[in-house]
Amino acid sequence: MVFRKIILLIGLCTAMHLASSQPTNTILVKAGEDATKVIPRNLQYHYPEFQDGRLIYPQNKKSELLKLNYNLLHGAVQFIDPKGDTLFIAEDSNIFKYVHIGNDLFFHDFREGYFEMVTREGKIKLLSQFRWKIIRKEIVVDNGYGTS
């Protein structure tokens, strides 16, 4: 009986560890370098190419069809304008509630940013958010001065 409880406890701890662990990528961007030039493009965006999509406003009004992508470095949606320039959505027009990119739907929280809707089963919704986390690390060298 005790042996079964120990096995159950070990199994439960293992399952909790696997459920909470997330893969991490660490990329060194030296002081003064542009992160967009150091971090590979395929790690900067959610999709390899810009996808057809629409912005959905709180009244369920939809924008015209746009080429959209989610920028993981900035945690923001970008679009390609008619001239072919890649632009961020202006802060003052950031009043939409959802973003539909390709086959995916993102919920837009005005304070916390964008969350991809993984499942939408009735009243239960599972959301996921992925962003790069910027950590500043200073290393003290032989002469006692720090470098970033």
Side-chain angles (χ1 to χ4, degrees):
M1 182 75 161
V2 173
F3 183 69
R4 268 198 236 172
K5 287 183 180 179
I6 291 172
I7 295 296
L8 180 63
L9 182 62
I10 291 171
L12 191 58
C13 288
T14 303
M16 286 175 50
H17 173 72
L18 292 174
S20 66
S21 64
Q22 297 178 2
T24 58
N25 290 330
T26 303
I27 296 176
L28 176 64
V29 179
K30 296 177 185 172
E33 286 184 321
D34 183 359
T36 60
K37 292 185 174 37
V38 176
I39 298 172
R41 184 170 167 37
N42 65 327
L43 297 177
Q44 292 181 36
Y45 288 98
H46 191 288
Y47 305 99
E49 299 294 327
F50 278 68
Q51 308 282 318
D52 287 336
R54 296 182 190 274
L55 307 176
I56 304 169
Y57 296 91
Q59 306 81 11
N60 274 343
K61 182 181 173 191
K62 296 178 182 177
S63 72
E64 69 277 359
L65 196 62
L66 301 165
K67 288 287 188 186
L68 300 170
N69 207 336
Y70 179 66
N71 186 311
L72 301 167
L73 288 176
H74 298 282
V77 172
Q78 287 187 281
F79 70 100
I80 298 177
D81 74 354
K83 295 183 225 170
D85 294 328
T86 304
L87 305 169
F88 287 99
I89 305 230
E91 280 298 316
D92 56 347
S93 66
N94 236 347
I95 60 169
F96 47 88
K97 190 170 184 177
Y98 296 99
V99 180
H100 195 257
I101 303 175
N103 294 324
D104 300 323
L105 186 64
F106 290 80
F107 171 73
H108 179 223
D109 182 82
F110 301 108
R111 290 191 181 118
E112 300 297 324
Y114 297 90
F115 294 85
E116 184 176 2
M117 295 183 102
V118 179
T119 60
R120 298 176 289 191
E121 301 297 326
K123 293 183 180 183
I124 299 173
K125 294 170 180 53
L126 177 63
L127 306 175
S128 173
Q129 184 181 50
F130 179 81
R131 288 172 105 173
W132 279 93
K133 182 178 180 182
I134 299 171
I135 301 172
R136 182 175 181 194
K137 183 177 182 180
E138 292 199 353
I139 302 167
V140 177
V141 293
D142 290 343
N143 61 5
Y145 291 100
T147 61
S148 295

